[in-house]
Amino acid sequence: MVMGGGIGGGGPKWAPGHSKETQQAMLAEEWMIAERNRRQTEAIQRFLGRVVRRVRELLKRGG
């Protein structure tokens, strides 16, 4: 059972008192959150890249 650490729970939460299983569950949760953040960041970067490209094309045509 994972104690505490819902969405937005700060950094590492594993303390020496936790069992090995709990520590692994906490690490897995941290990894999943990090992976989701990475995917979101990549999606935002792709979106911004497309926007910049479109704006440049419009400026070229308009100029």
Side-chain angles (χ1 to χ4, degrees), residues 38-56:
R38 189 181 61 76
R39 280 197 300 269
Q40 285 177 344
T41 301
E42 288 174 355
I44 291 166
Q45 287 174 340
R46 281 195 303 272
F47 171 74
L48 288 176
R50 286 197 302 267
V51 169
V52 167
R53 211 172 307 129
R54 283 192 192 130
V55 169
R56 282 187 184 148

Side-chain angles (χ1 to χ4, degrees), residues 55-63:
V55 169
R56 282 187 184 148
E57 286 173 12
L58 286 171
L59 289 174
K60 268 188 229 164
R61 278 188 225 141

Side-chain angles (χ1 to χ4, degrees), residues 9-33:
K13 294 175 285 289
W14 43 93
H18 289 298
S19 70
K20 192 97 175 138
E21 292 78 20
T22 305
Q23 287 186 5
Q24 286 173 343
M26 289 174 166
L27 277 167
E29 185 187 11
E30 291 287 332
W31 184 85
M32 279 166 50
I33 292 168

